[in-house]
Amino acid sequence: MFAVLGPLEVWRGPGERVRIDQRKKRALLLTLLLHAGRWTSVEEMRLALWQDDAPRSALGNIKTYLSELRHTLPPPIGDPAVPASIRAVGPRSAILRRPAGPGRIESRPGEYRLLVVPDEIDVVRFEQAVEHGRVAARAGAPARAAESLEQALGWWRGNAFDELPAEVGGAESLRLEEARWSAREALIDARLALGEHDQVLPALRALAVEYPTRERLWAQLLVALERSGRRAEALREYRGLYRRMVTELGIEPGAELRRIHQEVLDPARGWSRSSSEPMGTPHR
């Protein structure tokens, strides 16, 4: 199991972590994981390890790191290869194992590839759980949606690919962070649909203050306040947000947030206390 949604972690099995302490070896493995199952050029590895200040020995160093990783990483799933050496050091010592052959890492001129199956990487598990949650939400099953989305967000332990320089991992890191935000907002939608308005309010308030330009959070906050019987407070929050956006950013709230505001303004509709629509669903 490879975990990149936070500091790099590698697991041979439950409770059996593989230690990779050297910073450049960690950066090299993360670069391979960035393109898991695809070929990665030596040039990109050089950029990940030294940016614009690579030593003359860079290629040799990369080959050494790759060789050490081959012997450190657990073998690919289903690999029938027998370990090259197995020996017990003593009656209380662990058995040492070194896999034979190329192990996880394949090579061809100027490129290397890390062999993985999708389910071995936490990024894939996160994305699969998010999709299950979205499917459940569309099917009108908010409890199942919330369970899947909470499972998805549970894979995160920090920032994705944070140990790589921005030139190498920045784009993927930003993509995954936006996917994380989308999953958070979808989870809030599911919990609102379950009637958990009071429960989500503290987290919504904190997130809206920390990320004041994310309009969907503010729309969800208005909904949660109105459904909790706090319409006046919801309208006050909107007025404050409107002033800040106009004076500080020179823009007005977007169409979705304005629609939610209009629905909060109209107490005769009673839409929010009975609706189970996710945020962003077109209003009819």
Side-chain angles (χ1 to χ4, degrees), residues 1-5 8-13 18 29 33 36-37 73-79 103-105 114-126 128 155 157:
M1 173 70 188
F2 298 93
V4 300
L5 297 177
L8 173 66
E9 291 182 358
V10 181
W11 297 86
R12 193 182 303 275
V18 178
L29 179 54
L33 285 165
L73 298 176
I77 290 177
D79 188 350
R104 285 276 181 178
I105 302 173
L114 182 71
L115 299 177
V116 293
V117 297
D119 197 45
E120 289 185 280
I121 307 176
D122 59 355
V123 169
V124 176
R125 294 190 178 194
F126 161 73
Q128 288 174 342
W155 288 110
R157 299 165 293 107

mmCIF file of all heavy atoms in Angstrom, residues 1-5 8-13 18 29 33 36-37 73-79 103-105 114-126 128 155 157:
data_model
loop_
_atom_site.group_PDB
_atom_site.id
_atom_site.type_symbol
_atom_site.label_atom_id
_atom_site.label_comp_id
_atom_site.label_asym_id
_atom_site.label_seq_id
_atom_site.Cartn_x
_atom_site.Cartn_y
_atom_site.Cartn_z
ATOM 1 N N MET A 1 0.844 -1.193 0.000
ATOM 2 C CA MET A 1 0.000 0.000 0.000
ATOM 3 C C MET A 1 0.880 1.243 0.000
ATOM 4 O O MET A 1 1.828 1.337 0.780
ATOM 5 C CB MET A 1 -0.902 -0.006 1.255
ATOM 6 C CG MET A 1 -1.705 1.253 1.468
ATOM 7 S SD MET A 1 -3.006 1.450 0.254
ATOM 8 C CE MET A 1 -3.590 3.094 0.638
ATOM 9 N N PHE A 2 0.597 2.179 -0.912
ATOM 10 C CA PHE A 2 1.343 3.432 -1.004
ATOM 11 C C PHE A 2 0.402 4.583 -0.623
ATOM 12 O O PHE A 2 -0.677 4.714 -1.215
ATOM 13 C CB PHE A 2 1.860 3.636 -2.423
ATOM 14 C CG PHE A 2 2.830 2.569 -2.869
ATOM 15 C CD1 PHE A 2 2.374 1.450 -3.557
ATOM 16 C CD2 PHE A 2 4.181 2.681 -2.600
ATOM 17 C CE1 PHE A 2 3.254 0.460 -3.969
ATOM 18 C CE2 PHE A 2 5.080 1.702 -3.014
ATOM 19 C CZ PHE A 2 4.609 0.584 -3.688
ATOM 20 N N ALA A 3 0.827 5.389 0.326
ATOM 21 C CA ALA A 3 0.012 6.506 0.790
ATOM 22 C C ALA A 3 0.719 7.811 0.471
ATOM 23 O O ALA A 3 1.842 8.047 0.948
ATOM 24 C CB ALA A 3 -0.242 6.394 2.292
ATOM 25 N N VAL A 4 0.079 8.652 -0.337
ATOM 26 C CA VAL A 4 0.675 9.931 -0.740
ATOM 27 C C VAL A 4 -0.210 11.118 -0.377
ATOM 28 O O VAL A 4 0.159 12.258 -0.630
ATOM 29 C CB VAL A 4 0.969 9.943 -2.254
ATOM 30 C CG1 VAL A 4 1.941 8.844 -2.626
ATOM 31 C CG2 VAL A 4 -0.311 9.827 -3.072
ATOM 32 N N LEU A 5 -1.385 10.862 0.223
ATOM 33 C CA LEU A 5 -2.278 11.956 0.624
ATOM 34 C C LEU A 5 -1.864 12.467 2.008
ATOM 35 O O LEU A 5 -2.613 12.455 2.981
ATOM 36 C CB LEU A 5 -3.731 11.468 0.631
ATOM 37 C CG LEU A 5 -4.273 11.024 -0.729
ATOM 38 C CD1 LEU A 5 -5.691 10.499 -0.602
ATOM 39 C CD2 LEU A 5 -4.204 12.155 -1.750
ATOM 40 N N LEU A 8 4.672 10.681 2.699
ATOM 41 C CA LEU A 8 4.777 9.386 2.047
ATOM 42 C C LEU A 8 4.850 8.257 3.072
ATOM 43 O O LEU A 8 5.642 8.301 4.021
ATOM 44 C CB LEU A 8 6.036 9.345 1.178
ATOM 45 C CG LEU A 8 6.386 7.986 0.561
ATOM 46 C CD1 LEU A 8 5.333 7.566 -0.465
ATOM 47 C CD2 LEU A 8 7.768 8.033 -0.065
ATOM 48 N N GLU A 9 4.012 7.239 2.866
ATOM 49 C CA GLU A 9 4.067 6.021 3.668
ATOM 50 C C GLU A 9 3.950 4.823 2.733
ATOM 51 O O GLU A 9 3.216 4.877 1.739
ATOM 52 C CB GLU A 9 2.937 5.963 4.708
ATOM 53 C CG GLU A 9 3.088 6.977 5.828
ATOM 54 C CD GLU A 9 1.984 6.856 6.871
ATOM 55 O OE1 GLU A 9 1.075 6.005 6.690
ATOM 56 O OE2 GLU A 9 2.025 7.611 7.860
ATOM 57 N N VAL A 10 4.682 3.759 3.055
ATOM 58 C CA VAL A 10 4.619 2.505 2.306
ATOM 59 C C VAL A 10 4.365 1.394 3.308
ATOM 60 O O VAL A 10 5.033 1.315 4.342
ATOM 61 C CB VAL A 10 5.928 2.235 1.531
ATOM 62 C CG1 VAL A 10 5.825 0.927 0.748
ATOM 63 C CG2 VAL A 10 6.245 3.396 0.589
ATOM 64 N N TRP A 11 3.399 0.535 2.985
ATOM 65 C CA TRP A 11 3.020 -0.549 3.891
ATOM 66 C C TRP A 11 3.119 -1.874 3.159
ATOM 67 O O TRP A 11 2.594 -2.043 2.063
ATOM 68 C CB TRP A 11 1.594 -0.344 4.411
ATOM 69 C CG TRP A 11 1.450 0.902 5.225
ATOM 70 C CD1 TRP A 11 1.205 2.162 4.767
ATOM 71 C CD2 TRP A 11 1.580 1.015 6.645
ATOM 72 N NE1 TRP A 11 1.167 3.057 5.805
ATOM 73 C CE2 TRP A 11 1.393 2.387 6.972
ATOM 74 C CE3 TRP A 11 1.827 0.092 7.661
ATOM 75 C CZ2 TRP A 11 1.444 2.846 8.277
ATOM 76 C CZ3 TRP A 11 1.883 0.558 8.970
ATOM 77 C CH2 TRP A 11 1.695 1.918 9.275
ATOM 78 N N ARG A 12 3.811 -2.834 3.777
ATOM 79 C CA ARG A 12 3.898 -4.174 3.225
ATOM 80 C C ARG A 12 2.614 -4.944 3.497
ATOM 81 O O ARG A 12 2.194 -5.802 2.744
ATOM 82 C CB ARG A 12 5.089 -4.911 3.837
ATOM 83 C CG ARG A 12 5.474 -6.203 3.132
ATOM 84 C CD ARG A 12 6.638 -6.880 3.849
ATOM 85 N NE ARG A 12 7.790 -5.992 3.946
ATOM 86 C CZ ARG A 12 8.693 -5.843 2.999
ATOM 87 N NH1 ARG A 12 8.589 -6.520 1.871
ATOM 88 N NH2 ARG A 12 9.710 -5.021 3.161
ATOM 89 N N GLY A 13 1.971 -4.652 4.591
ATOM 90 C CA GLY A 13 0.725 -5.286 5.002
ATOM 91 C C GLY A 13 0.227 -4.564 6.240
ATOM 92 O O GLY A 13 0.851 -3.608 6.719
ATOM 93 N N VAL A 18 7.047 0.002 5.771
ATOM 94 C CA VAL A 18 8.370 -0.011 5.154
ATOM 95 C C VAL A 18 9.009 1.353 5.374
ATOM 96 O O VAL A 18 8.448 2.377 4.979
ATOM 97 C CB VAL A 18 8.269 -0.317 3.640
ATOM 98 C CG1 VAL A 18 9.653 -0.276 2.997
ATOM 99 C CG2 VAL A 18 7.607 -1.664 3.416
ATOM 100 N N LEU A 29 10.719 8.060 -5.142
ATOM 101 C CA LEU A 29 9.559 7.170 -5.128
ATOM 102 C C LEU A 29 8.273 7.952 -5.370
ATOM 103 O O LEU A 29 7.372 7.488 -6.099
ATOM 104 C CB LEU A 29 9.493 6.436 -3.781
ATOM 105 C CG LEU A 29 8.308 5.482 -3.592
ATOM 106 C CD1 LEU A 29 8.215 4.469 -4.718
ATOM 107 C CD2 LEU A 29 8.391 4.788 -2.249
ATOM 108 N N LEU A 33 5.431 7.417 -8.173
ATOM 109 C CA LEU A 33 4.018 7.266 -7.804
ATOM 110 C C LEU A 33 3.145 8.317 -8.487
ATOM 111 O O LEU A 33 1.960 8.090 -8.723
ATOM 112 C CB LEU A 33 3.863 7.362 -6.286
ATOM 113 C CG LEU A 33 4.310 6.122 -5.508
ATOM 114 C CD1 LEU A 33 4.466 6.450 -4.021
ATOM 115 C CD2 LEU A 33 3.301 4.985 -5.696
ATOM 116 N N ALA A 36 2.229 6.535 -11.499
ATOM 117 C CA ALA A 36 2.176 5.108 -11.169
ATOM 118 C C ALA A 36 1.695 4.275 -12.345
ATOM 119 O O ALA A 36 0.656 4.555 -12.943
ATOM 120 C CB ALA A 36 1.259 4.887 -9.971
ATOM 121 N N GLY A 37 2.493 3.260 -12.689
ATOM 122 C CA GLY A 37 2.152 2.389 -13.797
ATOM 123 C C GLY A 37 2.546 2.920 -15.158
ATOM 124 O O GLY A 37 2.398 2.221 -16.159
ATOM 125 N N LEU A 73 11.177 -2.026 -1.435
ATOM 126 C CA LEU A 73 9.729 -2.068 -1.636
ATOM 127 C C LEU A 73 9.223 -3.506 -1.638
ATOM 128 O O LEU A 73 9.917 -4.417 -2.102
ATOM 129 C CB LEU A 73 9.353 -1.391 -2.950
ATOM 130 C CG LEU A 73 9.697 0.090 -3.074
ATOM 131 C CD1 LEU A 73 9.342 0.597 -4.471
ATOM 132 C CD2 LEU A 73 8.987 0.902 -2.002
ATOM 133 N N PRO A 74 8.003 -3.722 -1.153
ATOM 134 C CA PRO A 74 7.408 -5.060 -1.249
ATOM 135 C C PRO A 74 7.211 -5.428 -2.708
ATOM 136 O O PRO A 74 7.020 -4.557 -3.556
ATOM 137 C CB PRO A 74 6.070 -4.909 -0.522
ATOM 138 C CG PRO A 74 5.764 -3.450 -0.563
ATOM 139 C CD PRO A 74 7.081 -2.756 -0.523
ATOM 140 N N PRO A 75 7.263 -6.730 -3.043
ATOM 141 C CA PRO A 75 7.096 -7.142 -4.438
ATOM 142 C C PRO A 75 5.707 -6.835 -4.949
ATOM 143 O O PRO A 75 4.764 -6.668 -4.154
ATOM 144 C CB PRO A 75 7.363 -8.649 -4.402
ATOM 145 C CG PRO A 75 7.054 -9.049 -2.993
ATOM 146 C CD PRO A 75 7.444 -7.877 -2.142
ATOM 147 N N PRO A 76 5.532 -6.748 -6.252
ATOM 148 C CA PRO A 76 4.194 -6.487 -6.811
ATOM 149 C C PRO A 76 3.213 -7.566 -6.398
ATOM 150 O O PRO A 76 3.578 -8.725 -6.171
ATOM 151 C CB PRO A 76 4.428 -6.507 -8.325
ATOM 152 C CG PRO A 76 5.890 -6.284 -8.500
ATOM 153 C CD PRO A 76 6.553 -6.877 -7.297
ATOM 154 N N ILE A 77 1.954 -7.194 -6.296
ATOM 155 C CA ILE A 77 0.909 -8.150 -5.953
ATOM 156 C C ILE A 77 0.860 -9.246 -7.014
ATOM 157 O O ILE A 77 0.842 -8.971 -8.215
ATOM 158 C CB ILE A 77 -0.456 -7.445 -5.846
ATOM 159 C CG1 ILE A 77 -0.477 -6.550 -4.608
ATOM 160 C CG2 ILE A 77 -1.596 -8.452 -5.777
ATOM 161 C CD1 ILE A 77 -1.742 -5.751 -4.451
ATOM 162 N N GLY A 78 0.875 -10.489 -6.555
ATOM 163 C CA GLY A 78 0.814 -11.615 -7.478
ATOM 164 C C GLY A 78 2.151 -12.019 -8.049
ATOM 165 O O GLY A 78 2.218 -12.926 -8.885
ATOM 166 N N ASP A 79 3.253 -11.356 -7.622
ATOM 167 C CA ASP A 79 4.572 -11.707 -8.137
ATOM 168 C C ASP A 79 4.994 -13.063 -7.578
ATOM 169 O O ASP A 79 5.101 -13.235 -6.364
ATOM 170 C CB ASP A 79 5.582 -10.631 -7.712
ATOM 171 C CG ASP A 79 6.933 -10.820 -8.379
ATOM 172 O OD1 ASP A 79 7.134 -11.880 -9.000
ATOM 173 O OD2 ASP A 79 7.771 -9.912 -8.268
ATOM 174 N N GLY A 103 11.746 -6.468 -9.226
ATOM 175 C CA GLY A 103 10.751 -6.119 -8.216
ATOM 176 C C GLY A 103 9.716 -5.154 -8.739
ATOM 177 O O GLY A 103 9.122 -5.370 -9.794
ATOM 178 N N ARG A 104 9.538 -4.049 -8.034
ATOM 179 C CA ARG A 104 8.508 -3.061 -8.374
ATOM 180 C C ARG A 104 8.880 -2.167 -9.546
ATOM 181 O O ARG A 104 8.006 -1.526 -10.121
ATOM 182 C CB ARG A 104 8.255 -2.166 -7.165
ATOM 183 C CG ARG A 104 7.465 -2.786 -6.058
ATOM 184 C CD ARG A 104 6.002 -2.667 -6.352
ATOM 185 N NE ARG A 104 5.209 -3.227 -5.283
ATOM 186 C CZ ARG A 104 3.890 -3.223 -5.261
ATOM 187 N NH1 ARG A 104 3.225 -2.679 -6.259
ATOM 188 N NH2 ARG A 104 3.226 -3.754 -4.277
ATOM 189 N N ILE A 105 10.157 -2.033 -9.836
ATOM 190 C CA ILE A 105 10.607 -0.991 -10.760
ATOM 191 C C ILE A 105 11.170 -1.607 -12.040
ATOM 192 O O ILE A 105 12.111 -2.384 -12.005
ATOM 193 C CB ILE A 105 11.654 -0.089 -10.090
ATOM 194 C CG1 ILE A 105 11.062 0.546 -8.821
ATOM 195 C CG2 ILE A 105 12.130 0.993 -11.056
ATOM 196 C CD1 ILE A 105 12.061 1.318 -7.986
ATOM 197 N N LEU A 114 7.101 2.303 -12.095
ATOM 198 C CA LEU A 114 6.743 1.609 -10.860
ATOM 199 C C LEU A 114 5.511 0.748 -11.119
ATOM 200 O O LEU A 114 4.484 1.244 -11.593
ATOM 201 C CB LEU A 114 6.432 2.625 -9.753
ATOM 202 C CG LEU A 114 6.093 2.031 -8.377
ATOM 203 C CD1 LEU A 114 7.331 1.418 -7.737
ATOM 204 C CD2 LEU A 114 5.503 3.113 -7.474
ATOM 205 N N LEU A 115 5.614 -0.533 -10.830
ATOM 206 C CA LEU A 115 4.511 -1.462 -11.049
ATOM 207 C C LEU A 115 3.558 -1.428 -9.856
ATOM 208 O O LEU A 115 3.962 -1.706 -8.723
ATOM 209 C CB LEU A 115 5.043 -2.883 -11.248
ATOM 210 C CG LEU A 115 5.978 -3.092 -12.443
ATOM 211 C CD1 LEU A 115 6.483 -4.533 -12.467
ATOM 212 C CD2 LEU A 115 5.266 -2.757 -13.746
ATOM 213 N N VAL A 116 2.313 -1.076 -10.119
ATOM 214 C CA VAL A 116 1.300 -1.035 -9.064
ATOM 215 C C VAL A 116 -0.037 -1.470 -9.658
ATOM 216 O O VAL A 116 -0.232 -1.432 -10.874
ATOM 217 C CB VAL A 116 1.123 0.386 -8.466
ATOM 218 C CG1 VAL A 116 2.354 0.816 -7.708
ATOM 219 C CG2 VAL A 116 0.771 1.389 -9.546
ATOM 220 N N VAL A 117 -0.932 -1.881 -8.786
ATOM 221 C CA VAL A 117 -2.331 -2.014 -9.177
ATOM 222 C C VAL A 117 -3.059 -0.834 -8.557
ATOM 223 O O VAL A 117 -2.647 -0.343 -7.500
ATOM 224 C CB VAL A 117 -2.936 -3.360 -8.718
ATOM 225 C CG1 VAL A 117 -2.227 -4.515 -9.386
ATOM 226 C CG2 VAL A 117 -2.873 -3.502 -7.204
ATOM 227 N N PRO A 118 -4.115 -0.320 -9.185
ATOM 228 C CA PRO A 118 -4.742 0.919 -8.710
ATOM 229 C C PRO A 118 -5.120 0.907 -7.236
ATOM 230 O O PRO A 118 -4.934 1.909 -6.538
ATOM 231 C CB PRO A 118 -5.983 1.035 -9.603
ATOM 232 C CG PRO A 118 -5.594 0.350 -10.872
ATOM 233 C CD PRO A 118 -4.719 -0.803 -10.437
ATOM 234 N N ASP A 119 -5.608 -0.238 -6.739
ATOM 235 C CA ASP A 119 -6.109 -0.288 -5.369
ATOM 236 C C ASP A 119 -5.004 -0.170 -4.329
ATOM 237 O O ASP A 119 -5.270 -0.047 -3.142
ATOM 238 C CB ASP A 119 -6.882 -1.593 -5.159
ATOM 239 C CG ASP A 119 -7.764 -1.548 -3.923
ATOM 240 O OD1 ASP A 119 -8.442 -0.526 -3.733
ATOM 241 O OD2 ASP A 119 -7.738 -2.525 -3.147
ATOM 242 N N GLU A 120 -3.737 -0.193 -4.768
ATOM 243 C CA GLU A 120 -2.623 -0.082 -3.827
ATOM 244 C C GLU A 120 -2.311 1.360 -3.447
ATOM 245 O O GLU A 120 -1.480 1.583 -2.572
ATOM 246 C CB GLU A 120 -1.362 -0.700 -4.438
ATOM 247 C CG GLU A 120 -1.369 -2.202 -4.551
ATOM 248 C CD GLU A 120 -0.040 -2.715 -5.053
ATOM 249 O OE1 GLU A 120 0.185 -2.656 -6.281
ATOM 250 O OE2 GLU A 120 0.770 -3.160 -4.223
ATOM 251 N N ILE A 121 -2.903 2.330 -4.102
ATOM 252 C CA ILE A 121 -2.576 3.735 -3.868
ATOM 253 C C ILE A 121 -3.766 4.437 -3.241
ATOM 254 O O ILE A 121 -4.900 4.312 -3.705
ATOM 255 C CB ILE A 121 -2.192 4.431 -5.195
ATOM 256 C CG1 ILE A 121 -1.083 3.640 -5.903
ATOM 257 C CG2 ILE A 121 -1.743 5.856 -4.938
ATOM 258 C CD1 ILE A 121 -0.711 4.200 -7.250
ATOM 259 N N ASP A 122 -3.515 5.207 -2.172
ATOM 260 C CA ASP A 122 -4.624 5.853 -1.466
ATOM 261 C C ASP A 122 -5.347 6.875 -2.332
ATOM 262 O O ASP A 122 -6.546 7.114 -2.141
ATOM 263 C CB ASP A 122 -4.158 6.487 -0.151
ATOM 264 C CG ASP A 122 -3.072 7.539 -0.336
ATOM 265 O OD1 ASP A 122 -2.596 7.741 -1.468
ATOM 266 O OD2 ASP A 122 -2.679 8.154 0.681
ATOM 267 N N VAL A 123 -4.669 7.458 -3.323
ATOM 268 C CA VAL A 123 -5.345 8.399 -4.230
ATOM 269 C C VAL A 123 -6.503 7.701 -4.934
ATOM 270 O O VAL A 123 -7.618 8.245 -5.027
ATOM 271 C CB VAL A 123 -4.357 8.971 -5.271
ATOM 272 C CG1 VAL A 123 -5.114 9.731 -6.351
ATOM 273 C CG2 VAL A 123 -3.342 9.882 -4.602
ATOM 274 N N VAL A 124 -6.252 6.510 -5.440
ATOM 275 C CA VAL A 124 -7.297 5.768 -6.156
ATOM 276 C C VAL A 124 -8.415 5.372 -5.206
ATOM 277 O O VAL A 124 -9.602 5.475 -5.543
ATOM 278 C CB VAL A 124 -6.694 4.535 -6.850
ATOM 279 C CG1 VAL A 124 -7.788 3.703 -7.517
ATOM 280 C CG2 VAL A 124 -5.655 4.960 -7.878
ATOM 281 N N ARG A 125 -8.078 4.941 -4.018
ATOM 282 C CA ARG A 125 -9.108 4.563 -3.049
ATOM 283 C C ARG A 125 -9.967 5.766 -2.674
ATOM 284 O O ARG A 125 -11.185 5.651 -2.523
ATOM 285 C CB ARG A 125 -8.462 3.959 -1.797
ATOM 286 C CG ARG A 125 -7.753 2.639 -2.072
ATOM 287 C CD ARG A 125 -7.328 1.954 -0.800
ATOM 288 N NE ARG A 125 -6.688 0.674 -1.076
ATOM 289 C CZ ARG A 125 -6.454 -0.243 -0.151
ATOM 290 N NH1 ARG A 125 -6.796 -0.029 1.109
ATOM 291 N NH2 ARG A 125 -5.859 -1.384 -0.475
ATOM 292 N N PHE A 126 -9.319 6.921 -2.525
ATOM 293 C CA PHE A 126 -10.062 8.151 -2.255
ATOM 294 C C PHE A 126 -11.035 8.456 -3.389
ATOM 295 O O PHE A 126 -12.229 8.701 -3.157
ATOM 296 C CB PHE A 126 -9.078 9.313 -2.068
ATOM 297 C CG PHE A 126 -9.676 10.673 -2.231
ATOM 298 C CD1 PHE A 126 -10.511 11.202 -1.260
ATOM 299 C CD2 PHE A 126 -9.409 11.433 -3.368
ATOM 300 C CE1 PHE A 126 -11.077 12.470 -1.420
ATOM 301 C CE2 PHE A 126 -9.969 12.687 -3.533
ATOM 302 C CZ PHE A 126 -10.803 13.207 -2.555
ATOM 303 N N GLN A 128 -12.267 6.505 -5.705
ATOM 304 C CA GLN A 128 -13.321 5.495 -5.824
ATOM 305 C C GLN A 128 -14.410 5.712 -4.773
ATOM 306 O O GLN A 128 -15.608 5.618 -5.075
ATOM 307 C CB GLN A 128 -12.720 4.097 -5.693
ATOM 308 C CG GLN A 128 -11.892 3.660 -6.888
ATOM 309 C CD GLN A 128 -11.202 2.332 -6.670
ATOM 310 O OE1 GLN A 128 -11.056 1.861 -5.530
ATOM 311 N NE2 GLN A 128 -10.775 1.694 -7.750
ATOM 312 N N TRP A 155 -8.833 9.055 4.094
ATOM 313 C CA TRP A 155 -7.529 8.707 3.535
ATOM 314 C C TRP A 155 -6.538 9.862 3.634
ATOM 315 O O TRP A 155 -5.333 9.655 3.505
ATOM 316 C CB TRP A 155 -7.676 8.285 2.073
ATOM 317 C CG TRP A 155 -8.321 6.950 1.895
ATOM 318 C CD1 TRP A 155 -9.559 6.669 1.400
ATOM 319 C CD2 TRP A 155 -7.753 5.672 2.227
ATOM 320 N NE1 TRP A 155 -9.808 5.315 1.403
ATOM 321 C CE2 TRP A 155 -8.712 4.684 1.904
ATOM 322 C CE3 TRP A 155 -6.523 5.274 2.770
ATOM 323 C CZ2 TRP A 155 -8.474 3.324 2.114
ATOM 324 C CZ3 TRP A 155 -6.288 3.928 2.968
ATOM 325 C CH2 TRP A 155 -7.254 2.967 2.647
ATOM 326 N N ARG A 157 -4.144 12.652 5.216
ATOM 327 C CA ARG A 157 -3.369 12.856 6.448
ATOM 328 C C ARG A 157 -2.574 14.163 6.399
ATOM 329 O O ARG A 157 -1.828 14.473 7.321
ATOM 330 C CB ARG A 157 -2.379 11.691 6.633
ATOM 331 C CG ARG A 157 -3.035 10.332 6.761
ATOM 332 C CD ARG A 157 -2.017 9.211 6.559
ATOM 333 N NE ARG A 157 -1.521 9.177 5.184
ATOM 334 C CZ ARG A 157 -0.309 9.571 4.799
ATOM 335 N NH1 ARG A 157 0.566 9.999 5.695
ATOM 336 N NH2 ARG A 157 0.052 9.518 3.524
#
